Amino acid sequence: MKARYRFRCYPRPSQKLALAKLFGCVRVVWNDALAFCVSEYKGGKKKPKNAELQKQFITQAKKLEEREWLSEVSVVPLQQSLNDLEQAYSNFFASCKGNRKGQRVKPPKFKKRKSKQSARFTKTGFSIKGEKVYLAKIAKLKVVWSRQLPSEPSSVTIIKDSADRYFLSFVVEIQPEILPQSENSVGIDLGITTFATLSNGQKIEAPKPLKKQIQKLRKFSKQLSRKTKGSKRREKARKRLAKLHAKLSDIRTDFLHKLSTQIIRENQTIVLEDLNVSGMVKNRKLSRAISDLGWRTFRTFLEAKSEKYGRDFRVINRWEPTSKKCSCCGFKVAKLNLSIREWICLNCGESHDRDINAANNILVAGGLSETLNGRGGKRQTTAICSSSQRNVNPLEFKQLSIFDLLK
């Protein structure tokens, strides 16, 4: 299986100038080819093949006076840029035909100068020499090696983010590291107040960096909007805001990496609920809080690490009534408002914490029972009597919960 290893690098001023030329050439080749494909589509013609685009916008473009500076950079990242454009169109066409799972993929977009910049080198365009990495027509870059590469990299991507930080991302082939078998299994209920509630009763809080720095973010955004476009002070304000965004993203990613690794190492089977995150962020009252948590990124980390370490990762149906269903007897209520955090089952009389009960139901819906967690006893996943199938009056349920809390 393939994996990416990313390291921070610190180019010298002369190397930064060479990288700026490289990013500009890659961006121009992409935009020229994309504009040509769009014009061909509007004229009723098919998309040109990748070989034709390579010849027209790299080989022949170098001979033109207005594009002769393309010869100043390596041809490898220019070719990879058009290969990426071809892959982007392939994903778009496959999504339109229904051959690609997930959300519908949008067509490729034009690249901007001030957003994230990148250029990819294959084996013929780079080499690792000691503690430095040589890129064709760029010279050797100083890299901070936080860990060793497990194998020879097949490609490397030089990245410059909006905060003017430089990274080298290597693609390497790794072997799965099978962890020792564990008897533990866990169901995870994701929430806003508490990031994750595990079926063993553990509740994990999220750092919520955006919520803590929202006033500072607003201040920097206001300062940026007041600067004159094209001025040096505006560029300085833009970098200050970009660095804050990068810091918030790093805090969130670090938390998600550590939490996902801990869960993978401690449990053999991980069960998660399939959440419609893209639909939930459309709620203007919850979109900021949901985006600050990173639910989708957390699921991606769990999937990748489960495959790497030989764990079993399962996702249950998003329509499963995990919160409204008693985890002891299977009794289901008709309605359960979000304000009710604790409730009593009218069928068996068991008192439930809303999140822990949902995590237990997620574990059962994933095909597991509490006996795998060492709690003992046999869990009933079906109703104990026919009366458990009936609906409960929401008013009656709400009064009972409030009365219980007052006691």
Side-chain angles (χ1 to χ4, degrees), residues 293-310:
L293 295 172
W295 286 343
R296 180 62 203 184
T297 305
F298 180 62
R299 173 177 169 176
T300 303
F301 288 168
L302 287 177
E303 289 178 346
K305 294 178 182 180
S306 297
E307 182 181 358
K308 178 180 178 181
Y309 295 109

Side-chain angles (χ1 to χ4, degrees), residues 36-279:
F36 180 72
C37 292
V38 172
S39 63
E40 291 290 294
Y41 171 75
K42 292 182 178 179
K45 299 179 182 180
K46 293 184 178 181
K47 175 191 169 298
K49 295 183 179 180
N50 187 31
E52 299 176 5
L53 296 177
Q54 298 270 359
K55 181 179 179 180
Q56 180 177 353
F57 295 101
I58 297 180
T59 307
Q60 297 179 355
K62 292 180 179 179
K63 301 177 182 179
L64 302 177
E65 183 178 357
E66 62 271 15
R67 291 289 187 266
E68 60 182 3
W69 36 264
L70 290 177
S71 303
E72 299 179 6
V73 301
S74 173
V75 71
V76 176
L78 303 182
Q79 294 172 346
Q80 296 302 316
S81 177
L82 295 184
N83 291 340
D84 292 341
L85 180 62
E86 179 70 17
Q87 185 62 46
Y89 265 114
S90 299
N91 296 337
F92 170 64
F93 293 145
S95 179
C96 293
K97 296 178 182 178
N99 299 331
R100 182 183 174 91
K101 295 182 180 180
Q103 290 185 344
R104 187 169 180 176
V105 178
K106 296 181 180 180
K109 296 182 179 180
F110 292 96
K111 291 186 177 182
K112 298 181 180 180
R113 178 182 300 177
K114 293 187 179 180
S115 60
K116 178 181 176 181
Q117 306 291 323
S118 64
R120 187 168 76 253
F121 291 82
T122 55
K123 288 185 177 181
T124 58
F126 79 99
S127 61
I128 300 177
K129 298 184 177 180
E131 297 296 324
K132 296 185 178 181
V133 176
Y134 171 78
L135 301 180
K137 295 189 178 182
I138 299 295
K140 298 179 181 179
L141 296 177
K142 180 182 177 181
V143 184
V144 179
W145 299 98
S146 57
R147 51 184 173 173
Q148 293 183 350
L149 294 175
S151 61
E152 190 71 18
S154 59
S155 67
V156 60
T157 304
I158 177 71
I159 301 172
K160 177 190 174 184
D161 62 7
S162 299
D164 284 353
R165 300 182 302 176
Y166 293 85
F167 299 91
L168 286 175
S169 178
F170 296 89
V171 176
V172 296
E173 190 73 23
I174 62 173
Q175 298 297 329
E177 304 174 15
I178 306 301
L179 295 176
Q181 290 285 331
S182 174
E183 297 181 356
N184 297 330
S185 299
V186 65
I188 306 175
D189 177 62
L190 300 179
I192 296 179
T193 305
T194 302
F195 175 77
T197 303
L198 309 185
S199 55
N200 57 15
Q202 182 182 3
K203 293 189 175 183
I204 302 172
E205 301 293 337
K208 298 181 181 179
L210 179 59
K211 182 179 180 181
K212 296 179 181 179
Q213 299 284 344
I214 187 64
Q215 295 299 332
K216 191 174 183 180
L217 186 67
R218 288 173 177 170
K219 176 183 176 181
F220 288 173
S221 299
K222 186 180 292 185
Q223 291 176 351
L224 175 63
S225 64
R226 291 176 175 176
K227 299 295 186 295
T228 305
K229 290 186 178 181
S231 64
K232 293 183 178 180
R233 290 188 176 183
R234 181 179 178 86
E235 180 63 18
K236 185 177 179 180
R238 185 197 66 81
K239 290 183 180 180
R240 183 166 58 244
L241 180 61
K243 288 181 180 180
L244 179 59
H245 276 293
K247 180 180 179 180
L248 301 182
S249 178
D250 290 344
I251 294 174
R252 186 181 304 112
T253 304
D254 179 71
F255 163 74
L256 296 177
H257 266 301
K258 291 179 179 179
L259 177 60
S260 58
T261 301
Q262 177 185 353
I263 292 175
I264 290 295
R265 292 188 179 277
E266 295 178 353
N267 301 277
Q268 181 65 32
T269 305
I270 300 94
V271 186
L272 199 65
E273 189 176 11
D274 183 23
L275 298 177
N276 182 19
V277 181
S278 60

Side-chain angles (χ1 to χ4, degrees), residues 15-25 27 138 160 166:
Q15 294 174 341
K16 289 183 179 180
L17 179 60
L19 289 174
K21 292 181 180 179
L22 174 63
F23 294 143
C25 293
R27 183 177 62 251
I138 299 295
K160 177 190 174 184
Y166 293 85

